Amino acid sequence: MIAAAFGAVAGVAFLARGTSLLSDQRTYYVSAGGDDRSDGRSPARAWRTLDRASAQTVQPGDQILLAGGEHFTGQLRLDSDDAGDPTHPVILGSYGQGRAVVDMTDEPAVSVHNTSGVSIGDLTIVGTAGSSPVDGITVYNDLPERTRLVGVRIERVEVSGGKNGIAVGSAAESLGFDDVSVRDSSLHDNAIAGLATYGPGFDADEPVYAHSNVTISGVSAYRNTGDPAATVNTGNGIVVGSVEAGRIERSAAYGNGALSAAAEGPVGIWAYDSTGIVIENNLSYGNRTNGADGGGFGLDRNVSDSVLQYNLSYDNDGSGLLLYGAAETRGHARNTARFNISSNDSRRGDFHGGISVLGGLSGPGQPGGIVGDQIYQNTVVMGAGADGAAPPVLRIGDTLDEVTVRNNIFLSQDGGPLLLAVNSTDNGATFEGNNYFGTSEDSRIIWAGAEFESLSGWRYATGQEIVSGEAAGSQADPELVDPSAPTTVTAADQITSVSGFALRPGSPLIGAAVPLAGIDPGTRDYFVVRLTPDRVDTGASRFADD
């Protein structure tokens, strides 16, 4: 069983090196050996500086190409007088052999301001790690019309040494961008994040999202360190904020957050203040923190109607999967986490679980911070944390409303709680068809301060794990192929095997799951095995018997 490969795709010819888009398309060339007094219309008559290229008004279909393999200093910028037609984008890229390199100074290397219809590709942007006060590539809208600008493509770029590698944002009085795509790129050794989208402050009662239709695919975000002096979230891999309808797929975040010391964040791949987000087929591992979190994946404040699925998280300081909602905003609702694998997350202590579902606190009669989330068909394996900590496999806390937890495998290999629930509310969470197995006699269920050594004792005391009046769930060994085996990863961000988390032949969890009435059961398991309604197995893997 081989999982999907992630990471940047090499050797794909950029559109700039192809044929003309329009009969009157103009291509401008920039080379270190050029002359700004030339017209820039051929490699032999190239301009020398980015300032000269930025001063040129470019029309839809035009191209500005930098000499491959050469270094440039300054900024390549487009503004409201440039581009503007998503069907005939202005192209910023390289020509000749290899990628052009832009050395960042005190301004973003590439700036797209108040315009769209732009494709950026085949560029390497380099700053000084830890010292650059600006983003590598910035796409920003502060027009007062409150209309999204359409069409931004960023492909096959490498950005390091910036504040954010790539940042897409809007001002408080503006909207941002529609149809944004970032693909096959490497974003590393930046301070705040590899990639970030953001918008104005969020009002859960009247939600407005700056951006729409954002796709992030094949992006590697690693060693984005965080700012040790910051009091807010820094050191993320990929974070989407203020997005309506977005997708993060086939991407990897690892080794981020090493210098972060704030009381919030960072997380490898996550979303906040957004709706309709799908995060699938990604890898997040080895993310760190000196403060809080340091997790793999997250759906955070004010995220609604979004999905985490088919992701692998392991060896992160914080949760493998974090679902967090602030009770005061009540904007986190109706999200799904399914068919994910978390292995040995929560390395730094015993607060976070492999999965953490945290709803914040609310007053009497007030809705919880998480409403209607569905958590099912995940496999979570937990070993001992650092310095003898015993993190829980699943942690739920504070106020939840109608959260369902079904058909998951919760496996503790070193004595941590199988489930740690605090401040549980009536009807806040329902558990059905889950497997709870610990290799130590200290592995138990802790529910609102009471400890239960057996599933049956917890079931009797709380009414959990009962379906249609019948006992559900199990305490049997799930008989995974090899849950202790390390996940095999080569070439930094390419998964080659996670077969240890599949079910063995004869596993008691084959066919043991409860029917998911009223829930989309999905069409395949983590390993791309087709699901059929005649048999539902517990966990992220369906035993392939044909």
Side-chain angles (χ1 to χ4, degrees):
M1 297 179 182
I2 304 298
F6 308 101
V9 177
V12 181
F14 189 49
L15 183 60
R17 293 169 176 161
T19 59
S20 296
L21 292 171
L22 299 173
S23 59
D24 59 349
Q25 175 197 46
R26 297 169 298 177
T27 298
Y28 300 101
Y29 297 87
V30 187
S31 171
D35 187 337
D36 285 350
R37 294 169 297 181
S38 300
D39 63 10
R41 297 298 303 279
S42 73
R45 305 194 306 273
W47 294 323
R48 185 176 62 84
T49 67
L50 299 185
D51 280 345
R52 175 62 185 89
S54 297
Q56 181 69 36
T57 299
V58 288
Q59 303 300 321
D62 287 353
Q63 303 182 76
I64 297 177
L65 306 181
L66 313 184
E70 295 187 3
H71 282 251
F72 300 87
T73 299
Q75 181 181 75
L76 188 57
R77 59 187 176 272
L78 301 177
D79 58 29
S80 57
D81 292 329
D82 300 307
D85 182 354
T87 64
H88 300 101
V90 164
I91 294 170
L92 308 180
S94 298
Y95 73 94
Q97 296 298 313
R99 294 176 178 174
V101 179
V102 181
D103 295 313
M104 212 181 313
T105 55
D106 57 354
E107 56 186 357
V110 179
S111 172
V112 177
H113 182 212
N114 290 344
T115 190
S116 59
V118 177
S119 286
I120 303 166
D122 290 317
L123 295 173
T124 296
I125 296 170
V126 179
T128 302
S131 64
S132 177
V134 296
D135 303 323
I137 298 175
T138 179
V139 180
Y140 190 70
N141 182 1
D142 59 7
L143 293 171
E145 289 85 354
R146 295 189 64 79
T147 299
R148 293 188 184 116
L149 301 173
V150 181
V152 175
R153 299 282 185 273
I154 303 173
E155 301 178 300
R156 296 178 304 282
V157 300
E158 179 178 2
V159 187
S160 63
K163 183 180 176 183
N164 294 287
I166 298 173
V168 180
S170 74
E173 68 280 4
S174 307
L175 288 178
F177 297 86
D178 175 58
D179 190 17
V180 176
S181 175
V182 182
R183 298 180 183 274
D184 304 328
S185 296
S186 177
L187 312 173
H188 61 92
D189 297 288
N190 301 288
I192 307 302
L195 188 157
T197 73
Y198 63 96
F202 188 81
D203 182 350
D205 295 324
E206 297 182 5
V208 174
Y209 304 95
H211 317 290
S212 60
N213 300 307
V214 175
T215 299
I216 299 164
S217 181
V219 171
S220 296
Y222 57 96
R223 293 198 311 265
N224 298 291
T225 59
D227 180 353
T231 58
V232 296
N233 195 324
T234 67
N236 299 285
I238 300 170
V239 50
V240 293
S242 200
V243 171
E244 179 179 18
R247 177 178 296 273
I248 305 172
E249 62 184 10
R250 296 189 307 104
S251 295
Y254 54 94
N256 299 292
L259 300 181
S260 174
E264 59 180 46
V267 172
I269 298 175
W270 62 290
Y272 72 97
D273 291 356
S274 295
T275 190
I277 306 299
V278 177
I279 300 176
E280 65 178 4
N281 299 322
N282 301 290
L283 166 66
S284 189
Y285 70 93
N287 294 295
R288 302 293 177 233
T289 183
N290 294 301
D293 296 322
F297 297 91
L299 299 179
D300 211 287
R301 291 172 180 253
N302 304 316
V303 173
S304 61
D305 302 299
S306 297
V307 180
L308 279 170
Q309 61 184 5
Y310 310 120
N311 301 293
L312 172 62
S313 173
Y314 70 94
D315 291 346
N316 295 290
D317 278 359
S319 304
L321 308 176
L322 172 65
L323 305 175
Y324 177 79
E328 66 270 19
T329 62
R330 306 183 305 282
H332 181 115
R334 302 174 303 280
N335 299 303
T336 296
R338 65 179 186 177
F339 295 106
N340 301 286
I341 294 174
S342 166
S343 174
N344 286 329
D345 287 309
S346 193
R347 297 298 82 210
R348 195 166 182 267
D350 54 12
F351 176 82
H352 290 284
I355 298 179
S356 296
V357 186
L358 305 174
L361 296 173
S362 64
Q366 295 296 314
I370 292 181
V371 180
D373 278 12
Q374 301 171 354
I375 302 158
Y376 59 95
Q377 305 291 167
N378 301 286
T379 295
V380 187
V381 178
M382 183 65 72
D387 300 323
V393 185
L394 170 66
R395 178 186 175 93
I396 66 172
D398 305 321
T399 54
L400 311 177
D401 284 349
E402 298 182 354
V403 172
T404 59
V405 183
R406 296 186 172 113
N407 297 347
N408 302 283
I409 294 174
F410 299 129
L411 171 58
S412 175
Q413 293 186 304
D414 250 313
L418 295 159
L419 165 63
L420 174 59
V422 297
N423 300 324
S424 179
T425 54
D426 291 341
N427 302 316
T430 299
F431 291 76
E432 295 177 344
N434 301 287
N435 171 255
Y436 310 84
F437 181 72
T439 59
S440 165
E441 62 182 17
D442 292 327
S443 299
R444 58 193 64 199
I445 294 171
I446 303 175
W447 184 264
E451 296 191 12
F452 300 91
E453 296 182 359
S454 69
L455 174 60
S456 60
W458 176 52
R459 182 187 294 125
Y460 176 80
T462 64
Q464 296 287 357
E465 291 293 354
I466 297 176
V467 179
S468 301
E470 300 292 328
S474 71
Q475 278 189 297
D477 184 340
E479 297 187 23
L480 301 180
V481 170
D482 189 0
S484 298
T487 302
T488 303
V489 174
T490 62
D493 57 0
Q494 186 176 74
I495 304 172
T496 60
S497 177
V498 288
S499 58
F501 300 100
L503 299 175
R504 290 180 178 273
S507 166
L509 302 189
I510 298 174
V514 301
L516 295 171
I519 294 177
D520 173 14
T523 59
R524 65 175 180 86
D525 76 348
Y526 178 88
F527 296 99
V528 203
V529 174
R530 184 173 62 90
L531 302 176
T532 59
D534 60 299
R535 192 192 84 212
V536 184
D537 301 346
T538 308
S541 163
R542 186 185 197 274
F543 180 71
D545 53 2
D546 50 20

